[in-house]
């Protein structure tokens, strides 16, 4: 399943994107307060600024909205990482910039990421697999950066584990914000995580 397979009776791609972006913003606000199951499509329509009839011109089910939320989050992460990755001129500086940019994005999107992980279980099996494949692709991007930019010998298995650690450490800033954000600024958190990562790679900062 992908964005194009969320059926719409509207054929104007720009209008579809505009309306679905409105839905995503409205749904995130509602899912944050009420959760996916207690939120109705009528409430999503109202929060998005249009009628329930208009809503159903762009989606079929409430699950479609949740899928669009998840898909949007991963697309934003992919775009941010791709903008920072420079595999033509690999360096430790590039590697650190990618990590820093990813952590900053997780700070900006902490509400969205939290909602996604709380509600993704509500997706149907094939849709869930699509979303999980997107996550694997994000981790794969980090793996490629590690293998290309880090100048020490790293096995494929270790690169995969390190990439997963970075991925989760970014999200942890939002998951455990009740504790972490009382102890660290975002910059302090990023700096310490990068410091420990460099130590684990036996690379001098």
């Amino acid at each position: 399943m992908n964005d194009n397979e969320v059926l719409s009776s509207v054929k104007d791609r720009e209008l579809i994107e505009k309306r679905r972006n409105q839905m995503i913003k409205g749904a995130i606000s509602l899912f944050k307060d009420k959760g996916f199951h207690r939120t109705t499509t009528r409430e999503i329509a109202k929060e998005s600024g249009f009628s329930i009839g208009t809503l159903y011109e762009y989606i079929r089910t409430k699950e479609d909205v949740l899928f669009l939320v998840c898909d949007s989050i991963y697309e934003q992460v992919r775009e941010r990482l791709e903008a920072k990755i420079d595999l033509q001129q690999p360096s430790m500086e590039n590697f650190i910039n990618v990590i820093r940019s990813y952590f900053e994005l997780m700070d900006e999107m902490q509400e969205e990421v939290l909602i996604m992980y709380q509600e993704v279980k509500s997706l149907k099996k094939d849709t869930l697999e699509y979303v999980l494949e997107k996550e694997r692709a994000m981790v794969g991007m980090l793996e490629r950066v590690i293998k290309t930019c880090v100048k020490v010998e790293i096995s494929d298995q270790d690169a995969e584990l390190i990439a997963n650690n970075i991925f989760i450490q970014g999200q942890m800033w939002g998951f455990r914000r009740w504790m972490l954000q009382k102890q660290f600024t975002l910059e302090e958190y990023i700096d310490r995580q990068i410091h420990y990562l460099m130590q684990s790679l036996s690379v001098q900062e």
Side-chain angles (χ1 to χ4, degrees), residues 85-95 98 140-152 154-156 159:
I85 292 172
D86 182 5
L87 298 184
Q88 300 304 311
Q89 296 181 308
S91 66
M92 285 305 299
E93 183 180 3
N94 184 217
F95 175 49
V98 169
M141 291 174 73
L142 292 172
E143 283 182 60
R144 288 193 296 277
V145 175
I146 292 165
K147 293 290 286 184
T148 307
C149 294
V150 177
K151 302 305 182 184
V152 294
I154 298 178
S155 68
D156 290 343

Side-chain angles (χ1 to χ4, degrees), residues 164-179:
N164 274 284
N165 283 344
I166 294 168
F167 198 76
I168 294 302
Q169 285 164 0
Q171 296 170 346
M172 184 170 72
W173 176 249
F175 291 159
R176 295 186 61 77
R177 60 189 175 192
W178 56 272
M179 181 184 74

Side-chain angles (χ1 to χ4, degrees), residues 53-66:
T54 299
L55 182 84
Y56 279 115
E57 291 178 0
Y58 296 92
I59 58 151
R60 297 163 298 171
T61 67
K62 187 171 68 168
E63 186 198 48
D64 283 347
V65 181
L66 178 58

Side-chain angles (χ1 to χ4, degrees), residues 106-180:
M106 289 299 95
D107 175 62
E108 294 169 22
M109 298 181 65
Q110 54 188 279
E111 294 290 354
E112 290 94 328
V113 172
L114 192 60
I115 289 166
M116 185 182 69
Y117 276 103
Q118 287 174 336
E119 305 297 352
V120 71
K121 62 184 179 295
S122 300
L123 293 171
K124 293 177 182 175
K125 184 177 179 181
D126 60 335
T127 313
L128 176 60
E129 181 55 36
Y130 170 84
V131 170
L132 294 178
E133 185 57 40
K134 284 247 178 177
E135 179 164 309
R136 285 190 285 268
M138 300 300 102
V139 174
M141 291 174 73
L142 292 172
E143 283 182 60
R144 288 193 296 277
V145 175
I146 292 165
K147 293 290 286 184
T148 307
C149 294
V150 177
K151 302 305 182 184
V152 294
E153 190 70 23
I154 298 178
S155 68
D156 290 343
Q157 186 178 42
D158 283 345
E160 181 179 1
L161 182 57
I162 293 166
N164 274 284
N165 283 344
I166 294 168
F167 198 76
I168 294 302
Q169 285 164 0
Q171 296 170 346
M172 184 170 72
W173 176 249
F175 291 159
R176 295 186 61 77
R177 60 189 175 192
W178 56 272
M179 181 184 74
L180 291 173

